[in-house]
Amino acid sequence: MSKPKYAVVVVHGIGVGTGDERKGFSDELKAGVVKYNPECGKFWFEAPWEGLNDLVDGVVKKAADELFNSYIRDADAKNRRAEKLISKIDVNSGWLCWKWCKKGSVWLLTKIFGAMPVVLRKAKRITPNALDAVLDLPIYLGEKAAEIRGTVTTKIDEAMKTGVDGIVLVGHSLGSVIAFDVLREELSQKHADSRINALVTLGSPVEWVAKIRHALENGTGIPSFEIQGVKWINYYDPQDPVPLRRELNSNMFKGVENVSEVSGEILIDAHCAYWKSPRIAKRISALMNEGA
């Protein structure tokens, strides 16, 4: 197969881990694209940016650890006291039905008190990830925005050095907002139309993020954006909660091509299913090889 005309730069959404740990986040989609042209794999670039949040993530994790450790210590102590009290109950005295009732009650109490430390330890593991996910958006909208976009622009620069005609920019979830912002910055520069040929957004919250930004700027009415000279394909799953289960408003985002991508999944599984879609892989392959 021949060398593709366009390289891909992919931007991930929210998540946990440093930039190095994020490498390979788009491997499933890349594998689907490579089936159509093995040469595409050499022109596939990832722009992991999560490492820029490591300092904040570390503070959040430490605070969560301290909080949950104190709860776990309390729960363990209460569990030990409960075990001592329960051990003193004579379950073999009295009538048969009363024995069964006491045995059942002891079993239930043991499960209840024993479950609390387990639940807290699981919550301790999950909470930093959940808080990181919640904080990524305000962190991006704040002072880290330019730095995060810079990591994507650096990858675009790197991809252009391979001698391709331009870039297919792919963004998932919050990554689609970052990609959209990078594209708008590129379009404000005279070389932009020769660098980004297409934008592909997957499970994008860009509409409600744009409304939040507009409100913070004390804007009235509905913001409007027009992307000229760049093909924009937006994939959304009707069961994906992040894009609010619907396509982007074409009155707000003029020129966007909305494509319904039904995965058969729901909630977070629907939000992550784009990476495995053969149809999306086929379209990106066509964009890389033909620009269509």
Side-chain angles (χ1 to χ4, degrees):
M1 297 292 288
S2 60
K3 169 187 171 182
K5 293 174 64 177
Y6 302 94
V8 160
V9 173
V10 197
V11 190
H12 67 76
I14 60 177
V16 178
T18 66
D20 286 341
E21 291 170 348
R22 267 293 185 171
K23 287 178 181 176
F25 64 84
S26 65
D27 279 353
E28 285 183 300
L29 185 57
K30 178 182 176 181
V33 172
V34 166
K35 287 180 181 179
Y36 296 97
N37 181 358
E39 290 297 308
C40 288
K42 302 174 185 176
F43 300 89
W44 189 277
F45 296 83
E46 293 182 332
W49 52 268
E50 177 71 15
L52 298 177
N53 288 350
D54 283 350
L55 182 60
V56 175
D57 293 344
V59 172
V60 170
K61 186 177 186 306
K62 184 177 179 181
D65 283 348
E66 290 176 356
L67 176 63
F68 277 101
N69 284 340
S70 67
Y71 279 121
I72 289 169
R73 285 193 298 270
D74 290 347
D76 283 337
K78 289 176 182 177
N79 191 36
R80 287 191 295 271
R81 289 196 295 271
E83 286 176 346
K84 287 181 180 179
L85 290 173
I86 291 171
S87 67
K88 295 178 180 179
I89 299 175
D90 182 4
V91 296
N92 294 310
S93 63
W95 296 96
L96 183 61
C97 61
W98 178 236
K99 291 179 185 179
W100 289 345
C101 182
K102 286 196 292 183
K103 286 181 179 180
S105 299
V106 167
W107 177 85
L108 182 60
L109 287 170
T110 301
K111 291 297 181 182
I112 291 172
F113 282 101
M116 186 56 65
V118 174
V119 170
L120 286 169
R121 284 184 170 88
K122 286 184 178 179
K124 177 185 172 182
R125 290 196 298 271
I126 295 170
T127 298
N129 296 6
L131 287 173
D132 176 60
V134 170
L135 289 171
D136 274 346
L137 177 57
I139 285 171
Y140 173 64
L141 295 180
E143 61 182 20
K144 286 287 186 180
E147 190 176 357
I148 290 171
R149 289 195 298 272
T151 65
V152 179
T153 302
T154 298
K155 283 296 178 181
I156 291 174
D157 295 340
E158 183 181 337
M160 288 299 296
K161 290 178 182 177
T162 62
V164 292
D165 293 344
I167 302 297
V168 177
L169 190 57
V170 180
H172 174 252
S173 194
L174 177 57
S176 70
V177 178
I178 298 168
F180 176 74
D181 290 345
V182 168
L183 174 59
R184 291 183 66 205
E185 286 185 348
E186 289 279 317
L187 289 176
S188 69
Q189 310 199 8
K190 55 187 177 183
H191 67 270
D193 57 354
S194 66
R195 286 166 59 100
I196 299 179
N197 179 65
L199 172 66
V200 179
T201 49
L202 313 172
S204 180
V206 68
E207 181 177 330
W208 55 265
V209 170
K211 289 178 178 177
I212 290 173
R213 285 171 162 169
H214 192 62
L216 290 173
E217 294 167 357
N218 296 317
T220 57
I222 298 175
S224 178
F225 307 89
E226 186 168 0
I227 304 298
Q228 295 182 337
V230 176
K231 187 182 299 293
W232 181 4
I233 305 103
N234 175 64
Y235 287 93
Y236 70 98
D237 190 318
Q239 294 301 323
D240 182 358
V242 174
L244 305 181
R245 301 179 61 189
R246 64 172 185 252
E247 63 184 31
L248 291 178
N249 185 337
S250 57
N251 291 321
M252 275 185 64
F253 302 98
K254 303 183 187 307
V256 64
E257 176 190 342
N258 284 299
V259 180
S260 175
E261 180 61 29
V262 179
S263 66
E265 305 289 351
I266 60 171
L267 301 175
I268 192 64
D269 290 332
H271 186 55
C272 297
Y274 304 98
W275 298 115
K276 300 180 287 188
S277 167
R279 186 164 69 149
I280 294 174
K282 185 176 182 180
R283 184 68 182 273
I284 291 177
S285 175
L287 288 169
M288 292 183 74
N289 291 291
E290 306 158 19

